[in-house]
Amino acid sequence: MIWEGEPGDSRSLTYAQLHEEGCQMANVIKDLGVKKGDRVGIYMPMIPEAAIAMLACARIGAAHSVVFGGFSSEALKARLQDAEAKLVITADGGWRKDKIVPVKDAVDKAIASDVPSVTNVLVVQRTKQELEMQAGRDVWWHELKENASKECPAEPMDSEDLLFVLYTSGTTGKPKGVVHTTGGYNLYTHMTFKWTFDIKDDDVYWCTADVGWITGHSYIVYGPLSNGATTVMYEGAPRPSNPGCFWDVVEKYGVTIFYTAPTAIRAFIKMGDEHPNKRDLSSLRILGTVGEPINPEAWMWYHKVIGNEKCPIVDTWWQTETGGFMLTPIPGATPTKPGSATLPFPGIIADIVDLEGNPVEDNEGGYLVIKHPWPSMMRTVYKNDDRFRSTYWEHIPPKDGNYLYFAGDGARRDEDGYYWVMGRVDDVMNISGHRLGTMEVESALVSHPAVAEAAVVSRPDELKGEDVYAFVTLEGSYDESDELKQELKQHVVQEIGAIARPGEIRFADALPKTRSGKIIRRFLRNLAAGEDLVGDISTMEDLSVLDKLRQG
Ligand code: AMP
């Protein structure tokens, strides 16, 4: 594992070193009382210890629940509570966009009250700023590591034992804990990584995701490591002070396989071709993309400017729930079309159906479903089998006794059998490739005393793909003002994290509702996108609401 820190420091670990450090951390957390079946929260910057912590948990049979380091303390708290985590592994801080992100402070705030399950916090030293360590609870990794044995026998596990819980956004305000198990998940991430990236011994593979998302789990940690790949981990993000930092990493380490998100590609386009053009990118042989539909312009730029027209692009469609790639080209074997994730991975039986489960014609849009089980499918929603059943298996009724997995995405299949994923069909937004529920942002907004009601939709955004657009009605004693808008945006950042900051907040006297009181979101989506209203307005309770919103 090659690690590059944002300030330019670097480290590399051989497989033997990674194994030893993983065993040491496993021994340390065992001594802190963590056992097989317990849950451990991991809230870390992108440093090798994030992967080491995951491996340490897996080694002793404890389930990790990694929370993206960009989530706020409130969001962290909700996840630790649901997982009933016993331990949290974190760091003093991490570097992002030339600043230190004080992750340990967020942990302190999150567990200060209402997370009684957490008995210890294990802190990795990264940025070395002053920290308050709570006696009896907080311990330093570098201190405990000194006396920890480098041997720790792996806990025997059943293939269906819990490996990890990863929270993701759904259609309700509360994120759901997606459950993955040891056998199937490891098998499938191993296979998909091997075939989709055509990994060879001399490859240097780099996935730019964060370990807090499923892409980091499957394709920074489990898939690459189980294949014995050389994998690069990068701490920071492209930033105005160093717009060429990604290409520096490619050049420095001779990266051969590069995997990123369309939102990053669009940001690179904006930063200018001179940055990649100034670097030697000739080592690259395969490019990958994930997270959202890639627009053909971004695909072509990636192909020409980064890939020098010689690298196949693997557009991988998959989800937290699927654990691994579901639709993807096999590089060099599957002819690609810009914007299409091409075909199902071998063994995956996908289809596009209507709401009754009937297959639709070629090029007719419908719901993307998976018809047969696959090794790394999520096993349930943590502590909530009912939500698992209703969200994924009953949305579309079983056909002839066969259940269809409902992915929540709309798609069409063309005359060559190629899949074109169009985006979510539920109340889930995709902001810069990050999944976010409209209800989550609404709950954050209404928790502010000024807000009476909130309705959140997404609107198309050139850079982020989608952006958060919020309609808000105020409590009687509050007046509309730009300051209040800013305050509400900041409040959402505090409640969820910077990824959820609304691009626009619009005050309204009332929200458009049906006679039964349901907010009519499609009108709000039209208004947010500056389009004409589409659809039947006769079901609306009070038509004057729309006139006011249109004028506003
Ligand atoms: P997550 O579970 O956070 O990885 O988000 C999964 C969602 O991201 C999917 O349901 C899609 O809406 C979207 N997505 C991921 N990869 C792709 C892709 N290659 N093309 C289109 N949409 C994608």
Side-chain angles (χ1 to χ4, degrees), residues 168 213-215 262 289-294 315-321 327 339 341 407-409 421-424 430 433-435:
T168 189
W213 307 107
I214 191 69
T215 304
T289 158
V290 62
E292 59 183 304
I294 180 164
D315 178 356
T316 59
W317 175 86
W318 62 296
Q319 312 174 294
T320 308
E321 293 87 339
L327 302 175
D409 277 308
V421 178
M422 323 300 271
R424 302 290 305 191
N430 192 327
H434 299 322
R435 196 162 147 179

Side-chain angles (χ1 to χ4, degrees), residues 220-256:
I220 292 180
V221 180
Y222 288 99
L225 295 183
S226 75
N227 276 281
T230 300
T231 176
V232 175
M233 188 190 236
Y234 183 58
E235 185 188 32
R239 51 208 186 275
S241 66
N242 192 357
C245 60
F246 273 30
W247 316 125
D248 285 337
V249 173
V250 171
E251 187 179 73
K252 181 170 173 187
Y253 297 111
V255 171
T256 58

Side-chain angles (χ1 to χ4, degrees), residues 262-276:
T263 188
I265 297 169
R266 290 191 296 266
F268 297 140
I269 297 176
K270 212 166 162 207
M271 287 177 204
D273 293 6
E274 64 272 24
H275 305 294

Side-chain angles (χ1 to χ4, degrees), residues 301-452:
W301 183 89
Y302 202 27
H303 175 63
K304 284 192 178 141
V305 180
I306 304 305
N308 197 20
E309 300 189 24
K310 70 177 174 71
C311 305
I313 295 181
V314 289
D315 178 356
T316 59
W317 175 86
W318 62 296
Q319 312 174 294
T320 308
E321 293 87 339
T322 69
F325 302 149
M326 303 306 278
L327 302 175
T328 178
I330 301 296
T334 314
T336 51
K337 299 186 188 187
S340 167
T342 74
L343 302 168
F345 188 79
I348 298 301
I349 315 295
D351 206 350
I352 297 172
V353 300
D354 62 19
L355 262 187
E356 274 78 53
N358 303 307
V360 299
E361 298 287 321
D362 281 355
N363 286 314
E364 209 181 286
Y367 301 97
L368 182 52
V369 295
I370 311 294
K371 291 164 66 173
H372 288 196
W374 65 100
S376 64
M377 59 200 293
M378 75 183 281
R379 297 303 197 258
T380 189
V381 173
Y382 190 60
K383 300 192 299 194
N384 200 341
D385 290 344
D386 286 344
R387 193 169 171 196
F388 177 55
R389 210 173 292 127
S390 63
T391 309
Y392 301 102
W393 304 102
E394 291 172 350
H395 200 88
I396 293 177
K399 233 19 219 153
D400 310 322
N402 292 321
Y403 281 83
L404 301 174
Y405 168 81
F406 174 72
D409 277 308
R412 73 180 167 88
R413 197 169 42 210
D414 70 15
E415 52 292 350
D416 298 323
Y418 275 43
Y419 285 74
W420 298 78
V421 178
M422 323 300 271
R424 302 290 305 191
V425 291
D426 51 9
D427 291 327
V428 172
M429 301 176 285
N430 192 327
I431 313 296
S432 298
H434 299 322
R435 196 162 147 179
L436 194 64
T438 52
M439 284 268 288
E440 269 173 87
V441 185
E442 287 166 7
S443 312
L445 282 166
V446 295
S447 71
H448 188 283
V451 176

Side-chain angles (χ1 to χ4, degrees), residues 4 13 114 116 154 187 245 273 287 318 470 475 483 501 511 534:
E4 178 84 3
L13 290 134
D114 303 336
L187 165 70
C245 60
D273 293 6
L287 301 175
W318 62 296
E475 292 289 353
E483 290 74 45
R501 176 193 286 276
L511 299 173
V534 182

